[in-house]
Amino acid sequence: RIAKNSEVWGGIDAPVFWRIPLSGATTVEQIVTHCFHMIVAGTTGSNKDGKAVLSRNISEHLSVVTLEDGAHYLNFDMSTIEGIQQAKHAGLGRSGVADVILTRYLYNAAELFSNTGHTGRCFTMIRHPIDRAIAQFHNLKRNNVKAVHGMTINQYANSSIAEDNWMTRMITNTMEGKITKRHYEVAREVFGRKCLVGLFDKYSESMDRFADFFGWEDIQSINTRHPHASGKVTKEKDLAGKRECFRNMVKKGVNRHQYASVGKDSAVWKHFKKKNWYDLRLYEYAKSLYNKQTVVFEGDSQLR
């Protein structure tokens, strides 16, 4: 199961990052893999992740794969439902091996912890749905997707190609058919009770919160990038390196792009608003949650 927000984090169960596309998720992945050297259940297995140079078997079906860039992944592709099912079969939820799980399939990821005595702790970075929809259009264009060839953003916003209420659909596992107020109410309930919220517009502050809450500085994970390096790295030097990497990554980000602004009175904005009505309401709720959850993060951040 996914733990409730009211439950105190004990540091023994797995943080589950709900990966909302085009909302800074790739930067989060780079931070946990390359700044804090965590063992990640994420997207390894796809060609873009790089060549594996080392594999450590944890059990018959569970192993830690180290890529040539030093990142450590478990041998499952959590970007697919099939990969999540394989991870469940291998006992990922009860193993305690993953320092963090990254997936867009939050509903399915909850099954990893069924009947294990363990829980997952959801956290996510949420972006204004219309800003995300605009980014999605430009992302499709940038990747030369045939479906949007020759299409203007206004045509895209008014087409069936554009997503509608993606967050509400994913949380309620309703990828087809009509979304209703009841779906929104369920999504709001799950989101409000289960997830620690970060805001894309407050990215640096949000990442500080996550790092503090989950104690990322204190995670001791394997690091095989320089296994034969001479000399010992002191704890202080290692911590300083983590902090510098964290700060640089938050500042520079990964896959960031600038787009022409879209006015709120424009036809494009109105089309996207109509398509994403429930996600817009969920976003406003997320902003209120972000403010309410401030109490969880009181005190000075270790990374500031």
Side-chain angles (χ1 to χ4, degrees):
R1 69 189 181 91
I2 301 297
K4 298 177 183 178
N5 284 330
S6 58
E7 296 179 48
V8 177
W9 170 250
I12 58 172
D13 295 315
V16 179
F17 180 70
W18 182 32
R19 190 168 193 149
I20 301 174
L22 301 166
S23 301
T26 304
T27 300
V28 172
E29 182 169 1
Q30 288 295 307
I31 286 171
V32 298
T33 54
H34 294 89
C35 296
F36 294 104
H37 312 296
M38 296 185 197
I39 297 174
V40 175
T43 60
T44 191
S46 60
N47 294 331
K48 63 181 180 181
D49 284 323
K51 181 181 178 181
V53 296
L54 181 65
S55 179
R56 290 179 172 86
N57 292 328
I58 305 301
S59 65
E60 182 180 359
H61 301 290
L62 189 63
S63 60
V64 177
V65 178
T66 300
L67 304 186
E68 56 190 346
D69 65 356
H72 309 298
Y73 286 92
L74 289 168
N75 57 318
F76 308 107
D77 185 356
M78 305 299 285
S79 67
T80 69
I81 294 175
E82 180 183 7
I84 294 173
Q85 292 172 341
Q86 291 172 349
K88 180 183 178 181
H89 175 71
L92 174 61
R94 68 169 60 89
S95 71
V97 175
D99 292 316
V100 64
I101 295 169
L102 311 177
T103 183
R104 66 175 59 186
Y105 295 105
L106 185 64
Y107 182 93
N108 305 86
E111 290 298 311
L112 293 170
F113 306 99
S114 295
N115 302 316
T116 65
H118 290 253
T119 58
R121 171 72 72 174
C122 168
F123 68 112
T124 191
M125 191 73 70
I126 188 169
R127 185 178 189 178
H128 191 289
I130 296 181
D131 289 338
R132 199 180 75 80
I134 294 168
Q136 175 77 326
F137 168 74
H138 290 287
N139 182 61
L140 294 172
K141 283 283 192 178
R142 192 166 54 252
N143 287 284
N144 297 314
V145 174
K146 188 177 181 180
V148 297
H149 181 70
M151 186 178 284
T152 67
I153 191 169
N154 186 50
Q155 291 170 329
Y156 170 77
N158 198 33
S159 74
S160 60
I161 301 171
E163 295 174 347
D164 73 281
N165 297 300
W166 185 92
M167 293 189 296
T168 305
R169 288 183 179 279
M170 290 299 288
I171 293 178
T172 60
N173 196 33
T174 311
M175 299 314 296
E176 296 181 357
K178 185 178 180 180
I179 290 294
T180 67
K181 182 180 179 181
R182 177 56 183 161
H183 290 100
Y184 162 72
E185 290 171 346
V186 172
R188 175 184 164 119
E189 174 71 9
V190 172
F191 200 60
R193 294 174 61 238
K194 305 289 187 179
C195 280
L196 298 173
V197 177
L199 298 179
F200 185 81
D201 289 343
K202 295 185 178 181
Y203 199 90
S204 180
E205 181 179 86
S206 297
M207 290 303 299
D208 279 344
R209 287 185 172 195
F210 296 151
D212 276 354
F213 185 81
F214 293 115
W216 285 350
E217 284 191 354
D218 300 322
I219 290 177
Q220 298 297 316
S221 187
I222 60 174
N223 188 350
T224 58
R225 188 171 186 178
H226 303 292
H228 305 297
S230 60
K232 294 184 177 180
V233 177
T234 65
K235 183 177 180 180
E236 292 76 15
K237 187 174 181 180
D238 179 58
L239 182 58
K242 288 178 179 178
R243 288 175 172 173
E244 182 180 5
C245 177
F246 178 87
R247 282 288 164 233
N248 288 339
M249 196 67 71
V250 168
K251 182 178 181 180
K252 296 178 182 178
V254 180
N255 293 336
R256 290 184 179 173
H257 303 276
Q258 297 294 323
Y259 311 114
S261 61
V262 174
K264 292 185 178 181
D265 294 327
S266 67
V268 171
W269 189 278
K270 291 175 181 177
H271 288 319
F272 281 137
K273 183 177 180 179
K274 184 178 180 180
K275 279 181 174 289
N276 295 282
W277 176 247
Y278 291 115
D279 270 12
L280 285 165
R281 294 176 67 182
L282 196 61
Y283 176 72
E284 291 302 319
Y285 178 60
K287 289 199 296 183
S288 69
L289 276 179
Y290 183 84
N291 294 328
K292 290 177 181 178
Q293 290 175 359
T294 299
V295 66
V296 177
F297 305 96
E298 286 181 343
D300 292 333
S301 169
Q302 296 176 355
L303 289 171
R304 288 176 184 165

